[in-house]
Each structure stands twice: as C-alpha cells, then as structure tokens.
Amino acid sequence: MEQRKRRNLILIGFMGCGKTSVGILLSYRLRRTFLDTDKRIEKMQGRTISTIFAQEGEAAFRQMETDCLKSLLSETEGQIFSTGGGTPVREENRTLLRQLGTVVYLKVSPDTVYERLKEDTKRPLLQTENPKVRIEELLTARQSYYEAAADVILEADDKSLGEVVEELAQLVLQQEEREDGR
Ligand code: S3P
C-alpha cells in the first residue's frame, strides 16, 4: 500500500515557551528530523542572532525569517520545526507556517517566561532595563497572532516538558492514524 505523506509539525510561541526543548524531545520520541529556524538562520549567516540585530537591525532579521520559512517549503515531510518567537507576527509568515504543516502554539504566561529568561543575554529584544514589562507588552501584542496562526493551542504553563512532549506525540500519531484511515 502506498504510504501517505506525513505532515510537518511546527512549534510557535513566545520566547522561553519551550519550542526548542519540546521540538528536540518530540523528534526523539517520534524518530523525526528536527530543525530550529533560528539555528538555521545563524548557520546560513555565520553569525548569532544578537549580532544580526546589532549589525543590521530587527527588520533585516525578520526578512531572514521569512526567507527561511520559504526555504523549508521544499523540505521533506514529517519533520518537526521550531520557530522564533516573533515569526507569526508577519501575515506572510502565518500563511507560510500553515503551508508547512500543523502549527502548534505552546502557550505560556508572562510570569513563566520571565522566570525562565530573567538572566538571558541571547535575546536582543529582552536586553532592556525592565524585561518583565517588556515580556508582558510583547506577549500581549502578539497573542492574537499566535492564536491566528495555530491549528492547535497547547497550554504549557502547568505541564512538565515530558507531559507536553507526550501530548504532542499522541496528537501527531492520532492525526496520522486518522489520515491513514486505520
Ligand atoms: C525573537 C525570538 C527569538 C529570536 C529573536 C527574536 C522574538 O527566538 O528569533 O531573538 O521576536 O520573539 P526564541 O523564541 O527561540 O527565543
């Protein structure tokens, strides 16, 4: 019997919501390939995101994000992607995300983000006097974009990493069973 194509799974959500950790563990659990768009941009550019922001500004980075998503459209099926926290803000990116596969929004509260990232030095947008206020403002401004881009919203605040990974693994496996008509 011909095997049906597996859909990609794309993780979106605010900085610190766990996209990368969840993506890596989920890729082990499901034996799928994992790709992080921030890491891909850094590799292609040969410099860190902080350096890109410092040398060329945020707008240039946003264009690199869109170009990165476009480049993924030709990637093989059944992969797991994690994206930067600002990716779904551009309408064009939301369309690209949906074209890429099933989009999962890992939803966390500003307090969770702050606790995880208060000592962070790698996210240019949080290097401010008051990162707590910055997180609240940015998350409020982006919430509707995350929700608009998502096929599935997973509330991750009160769940362990393992629980989130297992929930997503079941979601993917059940979706594939349904699509295979088993
Ligand atoms: C950003 C999030 C970062 C990275 C860049 C901008 C954002 O990714 O893309 O610093 O605008 O929220 P993570 O969400 O993986 O931290």
Side-chain angles (χ1 to χ4, degrees):
M1 195 179 73
E2 200 192 316
Q3 275 262 292
R4 204 178 277 268
K5 265 194 156 190
R6 287 171 165 161
R7 281 170 71 73
N8 294 317
L9 183 118
I10 305 102
L11 297 165
I12 64 165
F14 202 74
M15 294 174 261
C17 72
K19 298 173 299 259
T20 307
S21 312
V22 168
I24 291 170
L25 291 176
L26 187 63
S27 73
Y28 295 155
R29 167 74 175 80
L30 295 173
R31 295 172 189 259
R32 309 270 162 101
T33 311
F34 171 74
L35 187 146
D36 179 270
T37 55
D38 282 340
K39 290 279 169 327
R40 186 175 175 122
I41 292 169
E42 288 186 331
K43 201 169 166 199
M44 305 247 327
Q45 289 288 321
R47 48 195 174 149
T48 63
I49 287 172
S50 298
T51 307
I52 297 170
F53 267 70
Q55 291 178 339
E56 289 189 54
E58 183 175 350
F61 173 72
R62 296 300 170 201
Q63 189 52 46
M64 291 171 196
E65 274 187 312
T66 301
D67 294 343
C68 180
L69 291 182
K70 283 183 184 162
S71 77
L72 294 180
L73 287 173
S74 60
E75 297 273 331
T76 52
E77 79 270 26
Q79 299 198 48
I80 295 164
F81 301 131
S82 74
T83 53
T87 306
V89 173
R90 266 195 186 188
E91 188 181 358
E92 183 181 8
N93 292 354
R94 295 198 293 279
T95 305
L96 287 165
L97 289 167
R98 276 192 294 271
Q99 284 171 358
L100 275 170
T102 304
V103 182
V104 175
Y105 170 27
L106 292 185
K107 188 171 182 176
V108 291
S109 66
D111 288 347
T112 299
V113 175
Y114 180 68
E115 279 314 308
R116 290 179 185 172
L117 297 185
K118 59 187 173 195
E119 312 288 348
D120 178 81
T121 56
K122 295 197 172 138
R123 278 132 173 129
L125 295 179
L126 300 185
Q127 308 314 305
T128 65
E129 286 262 299
N130 195 335
K132 196 168 201 291
V133 169
R134 192 72 203 269
I135 289 165
E136 279 162 9
E137 285 171 356
L138 263 182
L139 191 41
T140 305
R142 290 177 174 180
Q143 197 76 260
S144 63
Y145 298 122
Y146 294 138
E147 289 173 5
D151 294 300
V152 176
I153 299 175
L154 199 154
E155 307 262 356
D157 262 335
D158 301 320
K159 289 174 188 148
S160 68
L161 193 53
E163 284 171 327
V164 173
V165 170
E166 198 47 39
E167 207 171 301
L168 285 178
Q170 292 309 322
L171 184 123
V172 170
L173 295 171
Q174 282 165 17
Q175 185 181 51
E176 288 174 0
E177 267 186 28
R178 271 199 310 276
E179 282 174 3
D180 285 349
R182 271 183 263 154

